[in-house]
Amino acid sequence: MKVQNVGIFFDRDGTLNTEVDYLSRPEELTLLPGAARSIREANEAGVKVFVITNQSGIARGFFSEADLGGIHERLKRLLALEGAHIDKIYYCPHHPTFGIPPYRVDCTCRKPNTGMVEQAAREFNINLLNSFVVGDRCIDVQTGERAGCGTILVRTGYGATEASECGKISRVDHIAEDVYDAWRYIKRQLRIRH
């Protein structure tokens, strides 16, 4: 069964790949178990897959947008090796108090703001009410709630320590052990069988 106009918005670090503080080089990126399988199965079901990631390391001068491009190319390559693909990666290079213009700015794209989700919805005609945000931080859950999406917190990355707090500040629809557990939950919600 194929679904249409539905998206999954995955956080990157700690959700799809191992958490590394300010990951700045492609070789630092390693996929978490189940990440490629989750994305491949979502692709097969017709669900659009997006990455939405705050990358204030750019604003802070830790790495450049070109460096980030190399990291994202590695992410795409690793997924492709397992038959999976991301429809588009969105990132926010800004920070409201660190860095210099044009990156030091209070923007609408930095999670928990919904700018990246809304941009994807416009570009890909996504119905946000039937879509999901999956991440390891409370800000991911807040982003999903504000955008009207289903919200899933994974216990990988920072999720193990943030799980007890997220429910106090946001609506968490599901707490998953990892990204594949999150995908299984989404499949049940969308009534996808395969």
Side-chain angles (χ1 to χ4, degrees), residues 32-103:
L32 286 169
R37 180 179 179 190
S38 302
I39 292 171
R40 182 180 67 247
E41 290 184 11
N43 298 153
E44 291 166 353
V47 176
K48 296 293 185 190
V49 175
F50 308 103
V51 169
I52 54 171
T53 179
N54 286 350
Q55 292 297 322
S56 71
I58 294 170
R60 296 167 192 262
F62 297 158
F63 51 90
S64 68
E65 289 193 69
D67 295 331
L68 184 63
I71 292 164
H72 287 161
E73 285 307 311
R74 176 173 169 83
L75 174 61
K76 291 180 207 175
R77 267 195 322 274
L78 291 176
L79 291 170
L81 289 173
E82 298 193 49
H85 74 271
I86 295 166
D87 289 282
K88 190 161 181 182
I89 298 173
Y90 297 88
Y91 67 92
C92 172
H94 308 119
H95 195 281
T97 56
F98 292 101
I100 58 173
Y103 299 119

Side-chain angles (χ1 to χ4, degrees), residues 1-21:
M1 172 184 164
K2 295 270 188 181
V3 294
Q4 294 182 340
N5 306 104
V6 172
I8 304 175
F9 300 89
F10 288 108
D11 172 54
R12 194 189 78 186
D13 302 327
T15 302
L16 295 178
N17 56 272
T18 305
E19 175 62 45
V20 175
D21 283 337

Side-chain angles (χ1 to χ4, degrees), residues 6-188:
V6 172
I8 304 175
F9 300 89
F10 288 108
D11 172 54
R12 194 189 78 186
D13 302 327
T15 302
L16 295 178
N17 56 272
T18 305
E19 175 62 45
V20 175
D21 283 337
Y22 298 108
L23 189 153
S24 60
R25 296 190 319 273
E27 60 271 18
E28 294 176 321
L29 187 141
T30 56
L31 290 178
L32 286 169
R37 180 179 179 190
S38 302
I39 292 171
R40 182 180 67 247
E41 290 184 11
N43 298 153
E44 291 166 353
V47 176
K48 296 293 185 190
V49 175
F50 308 103
V51 169
I52 54 171
T53 179
N54 286 350
Q55 292 297 322
S56 71
I58 294 170
R60 296 167 192 262
F62 297 158
F63 51 90
S64 68
E65 289 193 69
D67 295 331
L68 184 63
I71 292 164
H72 287 161
E73 285 307 311
R74 176 173 169 83
L75 174 61
K76 291 180 207 175
R77 267 195 322 274
L78 291 176
L79 291 170
L81 289 173
E82 298 193 49
H85 74 271
I86 295 166
D87 289 282
K88 190 161 181 182
I89 298 173
Y90 297 88
Y91 67 92
C92 172
H94 308 119
H95 195 281
T97 56
F98 292 101
I100 58 173
Y103 299 119
R104 184 176 179 169
V105 62
D106 192 7
C107 64
T108 59
C109 56
R110 183 174 168 80
K111 295 182 289 182
N113 295 322
T114 58
M116 291 185 280
V117 173
E118 291 168 358
Q119 184 179 349
R122 285 191 304 272
E123 291 177 359
F124 289 85
N125 192 29
I126 299 299
N127 179 341
L128 294 178
L129 296 179
N130 292 332
S131 298
F132 298 85
V133 173
V134 180
D136 69 319
R137 306 288 303 262
C138 295
I139 60 167
D140 300 312
V141 172
Q142 289 174 299
T143 302
E145 183 178 31
R146 290 177 181 182
C149 299
T151 59
I152 304 171
L153 181 78
V154 291
R155 289 187 181 272
T156 51
Y158 291 105
T161 55
E162 294 207 7
S164 61
E165 294 302 310
C166 287
K168 297 175 186 175
I169 59 173
S170 297
R171 182 198 82 240
V172 182
D173 293 321
H174 182 67
I175 297 177
E177 289 305 310
D178 56 25
V179 71
Y180 192 69
D181 186 30
W183 167 240
R184 285 195 305 254
Y185 171 81
I186 292 168
K187 283 202 304 187
R188 289 193 301 273

